[in-house]
């Protein structure tokens, strides 16, 4: 099993180009089922994307990857279709369930494995199914599979999500695109990745309007083909490197971003004392001398993202005073805490809140990654720690961070995969 070796305490400087968003690519790839020919660019070549591509191949799509150009061509011939998403492909990546909405729209039936448990919480799919049922799908759960049918197609409906879910909003939009008549959904997630999905679907001819947390969709009968789309930048990757810059940067330049989308994160880091200069498509982070404590809760966009909680916690270990993070999205997303404590961080968990007493000197240790964002927080911790840190189980990291060692080495980090 591969490990990362990091020698910490090296001040970093250099330029980091941000990849395309994994979380925008996944629903957009699922949406490709609707069209017969699509070309996507700026797709990050990370493990989760390859898992989704395997799933689409299984469904019957023809896929050509041009790694050097960073593009993917997807062709969908109706006679090849298979409306089954098997367990072996959905179990490793929950986003596999996103094919449900597109399959129902295109083929009027789908059999998709239940994604099962997940390290950061139970993560059910009840909200996905709630939306599909509102649109007229008949749903059964049998032998670990979701079996969905809409013999005569789906029908537009008006409904409100009882709570906000990114994936359920995406599945609902994908299903409503081909439903008869108008759908009006309230209390939707409005993450930038969902807006990118909507931009893509509009290119396919879908009629979608968004007003705050309300999304209105008028169903169409057919979808446009030969569509090109460039995936939005990965705001979580950008946020991770922003935090890195504040932690140990002399001067880090982050390129290929839209700072407006990162407003919450940038304002928060500035409040903590970070020196950040914004340009139209890039961000400079200069050396920070003294960090102030802060209290924060994770929230759906435009609030602070749960996907940056672990990384921010590492920064809090270096701030002066007691900082607090309340995790409001997932029930079990503090698994990085015991590992950070082994490196010398002073963190206490009380219910859903982590209380971080800083600043504390971190020391290199052998640690274990438990999920995608937890693993990158250990990389950040390793980069600021004394001596050497060994990170085990880095396959989690490869699910979502493109060329992480290369990007860090470009900034003079001492990091090696063995
Ligand atoms: C997406 C992101 C993930 C991010 C999360 C929250 C992708 C591929 N993944 O995951 O990186 O951490 O948003 O921003 O885009 N829930 C239910 N029932 C459901 C669905 C969700 O109770 O049917 C709950 C979840 O357990 C969780 C909360 O709703 O507590 C939010 O989850 P959701 O927004 O659905 O996350 P994902 O779409 O899975």
């Amino acid at each position: 099993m591969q490990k990362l070796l990091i020698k910490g305490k090296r001040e970093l400087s250099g330029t980091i180009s941000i990849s395309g968003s994994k979380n925008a690519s996944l629903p957009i790839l699922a949406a490709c089922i609707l069209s017969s020919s699509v070309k996507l660019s700026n797709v990050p070549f990370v493990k989760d994307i390859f898992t989704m591509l395997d799933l689409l191949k299984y469904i019957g799509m023809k896929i050509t990857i041009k790694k050097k150009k960073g593009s993917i061509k997807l062709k969908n011939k109706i006679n090849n279709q298979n409306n089954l998403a098997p367990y072996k492909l959905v179990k490793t990546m929950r986003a596999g369930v996103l094919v449900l909405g597109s399959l129902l729209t295109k083929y009027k039936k789908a059999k998709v494995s239940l994604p099962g448990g997940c390290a950061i919480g139970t993560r059910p799919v009840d909200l996905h199914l709630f939306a599909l049922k509102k649109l007229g799908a008949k749903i059964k759960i049998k032998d670990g599979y979701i079996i969905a049918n809409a013999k005569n197609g789906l029908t537009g409906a008006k409904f409100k999500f009882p709570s906000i879910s990114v994936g359920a909003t995406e599945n609902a939009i994908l299903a409503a695109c081909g439903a008869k008549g108008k759908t009006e959904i309230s209390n939707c997630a409005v993450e930038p990745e969902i807006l990118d999905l909507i931009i893509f679907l509009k290119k396919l001819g879908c009629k979608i309007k968004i007003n705050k947390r309300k999304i209105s969709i008028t169903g169409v009968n057919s979808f446009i083909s030969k569509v090109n789309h460039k995936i939005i930048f990965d705001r979580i990757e950008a946020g991770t490197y922003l935090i890195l810059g504040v932690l140990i940067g002399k001067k880090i330049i982050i390129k290929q971003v839209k700072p407006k989308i990162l407003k919450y994160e940038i304002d928060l880091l500035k409040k903590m004392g970070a020196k950040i200069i914004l340009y139209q498509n890039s961000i400079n982070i200069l050396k920070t001398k003294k960090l102030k404590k802060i209290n924060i809760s994770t929230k759906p966009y435009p609030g602070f993202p749960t996907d940056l909680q672990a990384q921010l916690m590492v920064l809090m270990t270096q701030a002066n005073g007691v900082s607090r993070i309340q995790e409001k999205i997932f029930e079990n997303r503090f698994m990085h805490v015991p590992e950070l404590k082994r490196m010398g961080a002073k963190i206490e968990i009380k219910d859903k809140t982590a209380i971080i007493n800083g600043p504390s000197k971190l020391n290199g240790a052998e640690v274990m990654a438990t999920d995608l964002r937890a693993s990158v927080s250990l990389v950040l911790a390793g980069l600021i720690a004394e001596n050497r840190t060994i990170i085990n189980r880095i396959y989690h990291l490869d699910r979502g961070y493109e060329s992480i060692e290369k990007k860090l080495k470009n900034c003079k980090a001492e990091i090696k995969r063995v």
Side-chain angles (χ1 to χ4, degrees), residues 236-263:
I236 304 300
E237 190 200 17
T240 302
Y241 290 125
L242 262 172
I243 293 173
L244 171 81
V246 181
L247 269 170
I248 194 152
K250 192 170 166 198
K251 183 176 177 185
I252 298 276
I253 301 168
I254 295 182
K255 280 199 334 195
Q256 287 169 205
V257 290
K258 290 214 164 64
K260 243 199 214 162
I261 289 179
L262 293 161
K263 183 173 174 356

Side-chain angles (χ1 to χ4, degrees), residues 40-51:
L40 299 176
S41 56
N42 207 31
V43 179
F45 291 118
V46 293
K47 182 82 182 45
D48 275 8
I49 298 297
F50 289 110
T51 307

